[in-house]
Structure formats: structure tokens, C-alpha cells
């Protein structure tokens, strides 16, 4: 399933969609960046409440398929522009990390 | 054997550009055609090192030497040094402040991740003088 299809199925809000056809292969939920880097896999959907520009750096390094900001988190100023520059897909949702994680898992 | 050499200056306490060097290394390794797992291991290990220098050492330098069969990353700073390396290598041990933790760092996974993702991690450190990390990822 592509990130765009997933976003439509889960009614996610689009923050930036640079690579809509990217396939989702798995998922990871976490806010401690080193844990994410230690455990998330390339192609994962990464669910987090972090909103600073380090999210973009970690997303690039881990090569996640997309980031979902849960709990209605909004990005810090300038982070969206950075994500667009680096080609990272980011969505947001009002749902909790637990709830959206369960829904993503059900799609995989 | 000749190597490609990349040099980076890392600014201290500048979280807005932290990660730039790692992302640049990732891009270069990709251009050079390295396998994706090698690229991932190098760039994550380097990012952890970069972040450590930003948090703890007021910045430093990173030198990346790329050989056909390995990538060598040398990160050097003139920070406070690591008093107890064994303790610092423990997963979950961190001396970061609350402010750093709120940014998503300070999980105590930096050095453990560097060890995990590299084939060798050498730490030379002296309290009050600085720290030099040499990491090697074999291709």
C-alpha cells in the first residue's frame, strides 16, 4: 500500500506529501530519537509526537516511508519547509499514537 | 589504498543544523553506490556522534574516509571528556538535561547505537581535554 492510499484510508491530514507512491512496509511508534534510529526500519510508518527539525533528520536517516504526527501535534516553524526540501512525507491526526498505530498495523 | 575524504565542522548547541553532516554523508555514499544497509549504518552512527558533540562538547569535527571496502568515521571534540566509558556505553544511561530530553534526545542510546551499527568503535577520551571516536563500517 502506498502512503497516499494509507492517508486516505485513515483520513490523515497531509502536512507534506513529497513521495505519494512510496510503499509502506511496516511501522514504528516512538518519540526518543535514538530509539527510533535503533529500531525503526526503512519503509516504516513512523508515529511520533515530536515536532522539531530533528524529526526530519531522523526520518531521512532511517528512510521511513512517512511520519504521522499523532495527538494533533503541529510542526515547529520552518520544519515543514525542511521536510519538503528533504523529500519527507508527513501526515497528522488527532488520534493518539496507540490508536493510529493500531489502525496502521491493521492495514499492513 | 586511496580514500575519499570528507570533512565537516559541527557547531555546538545548534540543533537546527545538527544532522547536516550525517545527511550529507548519506547522500555521498548513495551517489557512490554503496549498499543501503551500509549507508543506513554509517549515517545513523554518524548522526548519534554528531548529536553527542552538539549536546555535550560544544561541537567538533567529523572526518569521513570512504574506501571501497569500508567507511571510517572519525569524530573529534574538545569537550568535557567521558569520565566512565563503560557507564556511558550502557543503554539508558544519560547525562543530558531535561531540555535535551524534551527535544527527543538523551535516551542514553547514542553510544550504544554507534556500537550497534558499526563494526568497530574506538573511544579515546580524557576528562577536561576531549573525546575522539573512530568508527568503522565494513562493506
Amino acid at each position: 500500500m502506498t502512503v497516499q492510499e494509507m492517508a486516505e484510508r485513515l483520513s490523515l491530514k497531509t502536512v507534506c506529501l513529497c513521495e505519494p507512491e512510496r510503499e509502506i512496509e511496516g511501522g514504528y511508534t516512538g518519540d526518543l530519537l535514538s530509539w527510533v534510529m535503533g529500531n525503526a526500519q526503512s519503509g516504516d510508518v513512523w508515529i511520533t509526537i515530536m515536532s522539531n527539525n530533528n524529526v526530519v533528520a531522523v526520518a531521512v536517516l532511517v528512510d521511513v516511508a512517512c511520519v504521522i504526527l499523532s495527538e494533533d501535534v503541529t510542526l515547529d516553524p520552518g520544519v515543514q519547509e525542511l521536510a519538503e526540501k528533504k523529500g519527507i512525507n508527513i501526515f497528522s491526526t488527532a488520534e493518539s499514537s496507540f490508536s493510529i498505530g493500531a489502525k496502521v498495523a491493521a492495514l499492513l | 589504498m586511496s580514500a575519499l575524504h570528507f570533512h565537516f565542522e559541527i557547531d555546538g548547541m545548534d540543533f537546527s543544523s545538527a544532522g547536516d553532516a550525517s545527511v550529507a554523508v548519506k547522500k555521498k555514499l548513495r551517489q557512490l553506490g554503496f549498499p543501503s544497509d551500509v549507508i543506513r549504518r554509517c549515517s545513523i552512527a554518524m548522526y548519534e556522534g554528531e548529536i553527542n558533540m552538539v549536546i555535550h562538547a560544544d561541537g567538533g569535527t567529523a572526518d569521513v574516509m570512504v574506501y571501497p571496502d569500508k567507511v571510517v568515521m572519525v569524530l573529534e571534540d574538545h569537550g568535557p571528556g567521558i569520565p566512565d566509558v563503560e557507564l556511558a556505553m550502557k543503554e539508558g544511561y544519560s547525562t543530558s538535561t531535561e531540555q535535551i530530553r524534551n527535544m527527543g534526545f538523551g535516551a542514553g542510546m547514542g553510544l550504544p547505537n554507534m556500537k550497534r551499527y558499526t563494526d568497530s568503535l574506538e573511544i579515546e577520551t580524557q576528562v577536561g581535554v576531549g573525546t575522539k571516536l573512530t568508527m568503522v563500517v565494513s562493506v
Side-chain angles (χ1 to χ4, degrees):
Chain A
M1 177 178 293
T2 67
V3 293
Q4 187 162 32
E5 286 172 315
M6 176 197 71
E8 283 163 13
R9 295 271 287 270
L10 302 181
S11 304
L12 303 176
K13 284 167 268 184
T14 300
V15 178
C16 63
L17 187 55
C18 305
E19 206 186 341
E21 297 303 312
R22 178 79 192 261
E23 288 287 322
I24 60 169
E25 294 164 38
Y28 191 82
T29 302
D31 308 312
L32 288 171
L33 303 179
S34 289
W35 276 90
V36 177
M37 284 193 291
N39 299 292
Q41 301 298 318
S42 171
D44 275 357
V45 174
W46 172 28
I47 300 162
T48 185
I49 55 163
M50 295 308 278
S51 57
N52 58 46
N53 51 17
N54 304 299
V55 167
V56 176
V58 170
V60 170
L61 295 174
V62 176
D63 188 33
V64 294
C66 70
V67 178
I68 300 177
L69 304 169
S70 56
E71 327 263 357
D72 257 344
V73 158
T74 53
L75 291 172
D76 295 354
V79 180
Q80 187 182 334
E81 291 74 14
L82 184 66
E84 280 164 2
K85 212 170 117 194
K86 302 287 184 190
I88 297 297
N89 297 319
I90 303 183
F91 304 99
S92 74
T93 177
E95 294 189 43
S96 69
S97 294
F98 176 81
S99 158
I100 197 68
K103 289 181 182 174
V104 170
L107 291 179
L108 290 169
Chain B
M1 187 165 40
S2 65
L4 282 173
H5 183 181
F6 304 106
H7 176 81
F8 303 93
E9 299 282 335
I10 316 290
D11 287 339
M13 291 313 282
D14 179 4
F15 287 95
S16 57
S17 65
D20 284 0
S22 319
V23 172
V25 166
K26 175 172 184 163
K27 201 172 160 190
K28 287 190 195 305
L29 293 177
R30 187 179 277 166
Q31 285 165 351
L32 291 166
F34 280 89
S36 57
D37 70 305
V38 170
I39 297 173
R40 176 186 155 91
R41 291 165 63 211
C42 289
S43 53
I44 291 177
M46 172 124 173
Y47 183 67
E48 292 284 12
E50 213 182 319
I51 290 296
N52 270 1
M53 289 199 289
V54 172
I55 294 174
H56 299 288
D58 198 27
T61 58
D63 288 277
V64 180
M65 278 73 69
V66 182
Y67 299 87
D69 62 337
K70 66 182 174 185
V71 179
V72 180
M73 295 166 281
V74 179
L75 279 65
E76 197 161 10
D77 67 59
H78 301 290
I82 307 169
D84 187 338
V85 173
E86 202 183 324
L87 191 57
M89 289 302 302
K90 259 194 185 160
E91 287 189 10
Y93 177 79
S94 173
T95 58
S96 292
T97 61
E98 189 62 31
Q99 184 206 350
I100 298 294
R101 285 169 193 258
N102 287 342
M103 296 179 75
F105 300 113
M109 290 297 290
L111 281 167
N113 266 354
M114 287 184 240
K115 190 175 168 62
R116 172 183 189 158
Y117 281 121
T118 57
D119 292 295
S120 97
L121 165 64
E122 202 177 294
I123 305 173
E124 297 163 62
T125 184
Q126 204 177 337
V127 173
V129 178
T131 301
K132 182 181 176 184
L133 297 181
T134 305
M135 298 184 280
V136 181
V137 172
S138 302
V139 177

